[in-house]
Amino acid sequence: MRIKINAVAAATAMVLGCFSTAANANLVITEYIEGSSNNKAVEVSNMGGSAIDLDANAYKLILFGNGADASKPGNTETLTGTLAPGKSLVFHNSGAADAFKVGNASTVTFFNGDDALVLTKDDVVIDRFGKRGEDPGSAWTDPSDANFSTANKTLRRKASVTTGDTVAEADFPGTNNQWLVFDIDTADGLGCSGEVACSSEATPGLLMLTEYIEGSSNNKAIEISNVGGSAIDLDANVYKLTLFGNGADASNPGNSETLTGTLDPGKSLVFHNSGAADAFKVGNASTVTFFNGDDALVLTKDDVVIDRFGKRGEDPGSAWTDPNDANFSTANKTLRRKASVTAGDTVAEADFPGTNNQWAVFDIDTADGLGCAGEGTCDGSVTPPEPPLPETGPCTGCETLTPVADPTTFNAEIYYSDIVSGEFANAEELKNALSAIIAKEHKQLTYKQVWSTLTYADQDPNDDKKVIEIYTGTSISKYDNQTSGSGVGKWNREHVWAKSHGFPSESQWGYTDAHHLRPSDPGINTARSNNDFGACKDTGEEVLFNGVGTGNYLDKATDCWEPRDEVKGDVARMIMYMDTRYQGTDTATTQMPDLVAVDRLTTADEDSAPLIGTLCTLYAWNQLDAVDTYEQNRNNQVYKYQGNRNPFIDRPELVQEVYGAVCGDDPNPVLEVEGDIVTPESVTEGAVYTIDASAIKAGEAVTLTYKWEQIVAEEKILVGNEAILSLKAPMVKADETLNFTLTISDGKLETTKDVSLSVINVPLTLNVEFAGTTKVTEGDKTSITATVTGAPEGTSYSWKQVSGDTALFTATGLTLDVTSPSVDINQVLVFELKASVDGESFSQSVSIEVLNAEDDGWTKPDGAGSLGGFMTLLLPLIWLRRRQG
């Protein structure tokens, strides 16, 4: 079984060119920042001499994460608008510090030092950062520069580089490193190309409120600074600071101060309350400081708002506060404008401080920053802002939680990258891969911390002071959590995978895993007990709550619990999460056994076993009750405090990939058949044979079709489409195995069967007869002709002499012409005929007797024909005669 997670892949295949000869060579990646936490940004600049109309072509900046090649693009930013010469576009991570928030937030900054960025025009590469298709480990480095790294550094393109690097798959940074290295978290170059920090030069009018003090008694002051790069002539226009007290709107201005003189860059004007302590008496006394935390201040130029503090037209009560920062208040605090803020807030009636709070908070009566812009003290030392108060536990006895992950920056493609477009041999391999992913950043909560986690995870979307109970659906006050005593009118923590089923100890990670813990009415929780989940509505009784049916059913005879329809999918995905998270692979850390969801109700004897049912009923519930926004938010909130996620909520299609096959919903279904294929164990080469699949059936009256393919090397060759395959065995040089694949189909589903059989090689044997004179006198000629019976088509023939004195001979096909050599005595010449075909051969020999001819004047002695001793005596005479002759 092969599982290819095509459905999981978030990216669509896309082929990008490697060369950019037709592309605009003046758009270049000029700065890359990979800093601490989410301090990440990338800058693209127009290095040419004319403006670029980015809308005239498709300009894209694409992230290729974790070694992804061109076919697997990640997060993408399409560039729009017109970019003037020398100007830059900046994309930053939404979770970065304020200093990095230049330009626009973008997910293309979800890089970690080992991810490539590619800039394209109409899908043709015009520049790149990193090497596409390579995962360098933690970062790309340069052996020639120990300081260079793509992790924990700010890198700026050298000023000499004005055209892009168009080979996205080339080594990076290469032999000619084009990047200058700066310390981690250096952000002062964002927004302008070049090797140095951006100029601070600004236009007159960048006048801002930079400090606000509302202290004890009359300790009040307000500071205005020139944060630009050139002096401001305050007399050239009418600059005013106006107080709007007690919710007064624009038509009812209060005390005001007109600004005069010249204010140099970086300098400040301060107005203080005349009754303040001496430490606050910087600058001039002014009635514009008659504020009490609930009054707005508006800075104008020629009656146009250029900055504000507070919300004009609103009385907040005692002060403006920030729900995201419990320490922030406009009463009894010193507030300094964050250094990253370089432009005024020009909407005086907007909410204050808004979603992007621009103010750093200091203790009451802090005065050492008056007279200079910035977050630090005026003597150069830095007094850090008081750390924000931790989130207050929102329920009785709740513990304060510190977030360990940011759901707003979560990227599913990166989180699940190990299984996106992955291939796994079976569902269990995929499940193991998922388990490793969701275990990686899992932080173990204490059981007390679970209270707090549930108040966020299960918060009522319509009332942030309440949570929703899983089985009743009741919205109940967060503060009504049962910490002791009676549970009537309270809520407690329900272990959806009953803790007695494998993890009864609080030290075990599953005991406090918030992904399966839900608020529940204590009475209903008790009724559910540790029963398995199953379809028992028809056999059980409906569970009541306050005398009213809840839609939950309990069958006490079988220990089966069926939850209400609205949460059946939630329950299914929680059980599947637990079954996947705890595979028994990290027992040393989690102290957890391998949890197994089984497709049956467990027995009383298995109450303490790490088992729970009923898997395929849960599978059906998952399909019945799809993931909704409530469940998605719950996944985010648990992730925020526990650090890991439920993959079956993020990617519901994974349920079928992991559990579909065992529940009759195989994502890759096959035809179920019975019967065997009849095949011979072996067949002789050249013989006809059959392979018979006619006994295979797929049920009554099911018509099957067949496709026989022979596997040759790595190719499949179609050889038949009937149940019975009849073929002739090929001629082989040695014994050989033939491999076939039979695909059987009923028109909708199909299955395959593999068949092998041996072809036995038979050595080549021929019937050869020779005709011709085989006894000749020396010097005579003779012809021998062979007749071969049974020779295959294409047989070739060759002759060679194998013994005797060397004779002159020629051979044509089956005919041998020989001129016999001179011999001293009679002898036999042996010639061999070799027949060859398809790499095999057969040889047959023929003998020719050559007779010695007698010389003139010589008579053979009596007995010369015998082999007696007299012949021995004559031999020297024979040799002598021949020498003399």
Side-chain angles (χ1 to χ4, degrees), residues 204 226 230-239 259-263 301:
N226 178 3
S230 57
I232 300 175
D233 181 0
L234 298 172
D235 297 315
N237 300 86
V238 179
Y239 290 91
L259 314 186
T260 60
T262 298
L263 192 60
K301 174 186 176 183

Side-chain angles (χ1 to χ4, degrees), residues 307-562:
D307 203 6
R308 59 87 182 236
F309 183 92
K311 180 179 179 179
R312 183 168 64 184
E314 178 184 83
D315 187 339
S318 58
W320 282 283
T321 57
D322 185 353
N324 297 317
D325 183 355
N327 196 36
F328 179 89
S329 175
T330 55
N332 301 317
K333 294 289 182 182
T334 289
L335 304 177
R336 295 178 189 154
R337 204 67 165 270
K338 293 177 181 177
S340 58
V341 181
T342 57
D345 185 352
T346 60
V347 185
E349 283 75 20
D351 289 341
F352 186 82
T355 55
N356 184 23
N357 193 334
Q358 299 181 348
W359 297 85
V361 185
F362 296 79
D363 287 341
I364 187 173
D365 291 335
T366 299
D368 55 5
L370 280 177
C372 62
E375 300 177 26
T377 61
C378 292
D379 63 1
S381 64
V382 176
T383 302
E386 182 180 331
L389 294 176
E391 298 177 11
T392 303
C395 55
T396 302
C398 274
E399 185 173 318
T400 297
L401 296 180
T402 300
V404 296
D406 184 0
T408 64
T409 61
F410 171 70
N411 186 316
E413 184 178 343
I414 294 175
Y415 189 79
Y416 295 106
S417 60
D418 288 345
I419 58 103
V420 171
S421 296
E423 289 193 17
F424 304 90
N426 51 53
E428 192 66 15
E429 280 193 11
L430 170 59
K431 186 178 174 185
N432 287 332
L434 280 173
S435 180
I437 290 170
I438 61 179
K440 190 179 300 181
E441 301 297 333
H442 185 171
K443 171 187 176 292
Q444 184 185 17
L445 297 172
T446 67
Y447 200 36
K448 186 175 182 181
Q449 288 172 335
V450 169
W451 283 120
S452 302
T453 304
L454 298 189
T455 62
Y456 299 114
D458 293 276
Q459 179 175 290
D460 186 341
N462 300 314
D463 190 338
D464 61 7
K465 301 296 189 294
K466 295 181 178 181
V467 292
I468 294 179
E469 295 175 342
I470 182 171
Y471 298 130
T472 66
T474 300
S475 181
I476 184 172
S477 171
K478 293 179 178 180
Y479 290 94
D480 287 337
N481 52 310
Q482 183 191 3
T483 56
S484 63
S486 172
V488 177
K490 303 289 185 179
W491 62 274
N492 64 11
R493 296 158 292 188
E494 154 75 333
H495 290 83
V496 175
W497 185 301
K499 61 182 181 289
S500 63
H501 287 224
F503 45 94
S505 171
E506 191 172 327
S507 63
Q508 295 175 280
W509 284 43
Y511 195 103
T512 61
D513 192 324
H515 277 298
H516 84 116
L517 283 152
R518 298 289 290 265
S520 177
D521 175 77
I524 304 296
N525 195 345
T526 300
R528 187 256 159 149
S529 185
N530 68 345
N531 296 323
D532 286 359
F533 297 99
C536 48
K537 180 177 181 179
D538 294 336
T539 60
E541 294 184 1
E542 187 172 11
V543 180
L544 304 182
F545 177 66
N546 294 333
V548 179
T550 60
N552 303 280
Y553 290 84
L554 172 63
D555 185 339
K556 295 181 180 179
T558 59
D559 292 335
C560 170
W561 178 269
E562 181 172 347

Side-chain angles (χ1 to χ4, degrees), residues 501-741:
H501 287 224
F503 45 94
S505 171
E506 191 172 327
S507 63
Q508 295 175 280
W509 284 43
Y511 195 103
T512 61
D513 192 324
H515 277 298
H516 84 116
L517 283 152
R518 298 289 290 265
S520 177
D521 175 77
I524 304 296
N525 195 345
T526 300
R528 187 256 159 149
S529 185
N530 68 345
N531 296 323
D532 286 359
F533 297 99
C536 48
K537 180 177 181 179
D538 294 336
T539 60
E541 294 184 1
E542 187 172 11
V543 180
L544 304 182
F545 177 66
N546 294 333
V548 179
T550 60
N552 303 280
Y553 290 84
L554 172 63
D555 185 339
K556 295 181 180 179
T558 59
D559 292 335
C560 170
W561 178 269
E562 181 172 347
R564 61 193 179 99
D565 290 346
E566 293 81 0
V567 295
K568 282 180 174 173
D570 303 53
V571 168
R573 289 178 285 274
M574 284 186 282
I575 294 298
M576 292 170 182
Y577 161 84
M578 294 293 284
D579 178 56
T580 301
R581 168 63 182 90
Y582 300 105
Q583 289 285 85
T585 55
D586 56 352
T587 297
T589 300
T590 65
Q591 302 179 52
M592 289 289 292
D594 181 7
L595 300 185
V596 180
V598 296
D599 193 29
R600 59 179 175 82
L601 294 173
T602 58
T603 66
D605 293 338
E606 295 173 319
D607 272 357
S608 61
L611 309 173
I612 202 165
T614 307
L615 175 60
C616 292
T617 299
L618 293 164
Y619 186 86
W621 291 351
N622 168 74
Q623 296 173 313
L624 175 71
D625 175 29
V627 174
D628 56 22
T629 56
Y630 182 87
E631 201 174 356
Q632 290 168 337
N633 178 69
R634 187 174 200 284
N635 198 21
N636 284 332
Q637 294 305 312
V638 174
Y639 170 65
K640 183 176 181 180
Y641 298 107
Q642 188 171 287
N644 72 332
R645 302 182 69 86
N646 185 334
F648 304 112
I649 296 173
D650 286 328
R651 295 187 177 277
E653 68 273 13
L654 286 173
V655 174
Q656 184 186 23
E657 299 288 353
V658 176
Y659 297 103
V662 297
C663 291
D665 187 27
D666 196 328
N668 303 291
V670 296
L671 178 67
E672 297 293 334
V673 297
E674 295 179 350
D676 297 319
I677 299 175
V678 179
T679 181
E681 290 186 5
S682 63
V683 61
T684 302
E685 62 177 350
V688 175
Y689 64 92
T690 60
I691 304 176
D692 189 349
S694 60
I696 292 180
K697 305 295 180 184
E700 294 294 332
V702 177
T703 302
L704 300 177
T705 60
Y706 307 86
K707 181 172 71 173
W708 290 96
E709 294 173 293
Q710 184 175 357
I711 302 172
V712 180
E714 296 183 357
E715 293 187 5
K716 291 183 177 181
I717 301 171
L718 182 66
V719 291
N721 54 13
E722 299 293 337
I724 300 175
L725 177 68
S726 180
L727 295 174
K728 182 178 180 181
M731 304 303 295
V732 295
K733 300 175 184 178
D735 291 355
E736 187 174 303
T737 299
L738 302 182
N739 297 303
F740 300 90
T741 294

Side-chain angles (χ1 to χ4, degrees), residues 153-196:
K153 294 290 184 181
T154 289
L155 304 176
R156 294 181 190 149
R157 206 66 166 268
K158 293 177 180 178
S160 59
V161 180
T162 58
T163 58
D165 182 351
T166 61
V167 186
E169 283 75 18
D171 288 342
F172 185 84
T175 55
N176 182 25
N177 193 334
Q178 299 181 345
W179 299 85
L180 295 177
V181 185
F182 296 82
D183 288 341
I184 187 173
D185 292 334
T186 300
D188 57 5
L190 281 177
C192 61
S193 61
E195 301 175 7
V196 298

Side-chain angles (χ1 to χ4, degrees), residues 68-126:
D69 60 19
S71 67
K72 299 174 182 177
N75 298 336
T76 301
E77 191 69 42
T78 300
L79 313 187
T80 61
T82 299
L83 192 61
K87 298 299 183 182
S88 305
L89 296 173
V90 179
F91 301 103
H92 63 263
N93 189 295
S94 61
D98 288 342
F100 298 84
K101 289 184 175 177
V102 179
N104 299 315
S106 173
T107 59
V108 80
T109 61
F110 287 179
F111 44 73
N112 287 293
D114 57 351
D115 308 305
L117 291 161
V118 177
L119 183 63
T120 64
K121 175 186 178 184
D122 296 333
D123 295 337
V124 176
V125 177
I126 58 175

Side-chain angles (χ1 to χ4, degrees), residues 240-311:
K240 283 186 181 180
L241 180 62
T242 307
L243 179 67
F244 293 83
N246 301 313
D249 60 18
S251 64
N252 294 296
N255 299 335
S256 65
E257 191 71 43
T258 300
L259 314 186
T260 60
T262 298
L263 192 60
D264 290 330
K267 299 299 183 180
S268 304
L269 297 173
V270 178
F271 301 102
H272 62 263
N273 190 294
S274 60
D278 289 344
F280 299 85
K281 289 184 175 178
V282 178
N284 301 314
S286 172
T287 59
V288 80
T289 61
F290 289 178
F291 44 74
N292 288 293
D294 58 351
D295 308 305
L297 291 159
V298 178
L299 182 63
T300 60
K301 174 186 176 183
D302 296 333
D303 295 328
V304 175
V305 176
I306 58 174
D307 203 6
R308 59 87 182 236
F309 183 92
K311 180 179 179 179

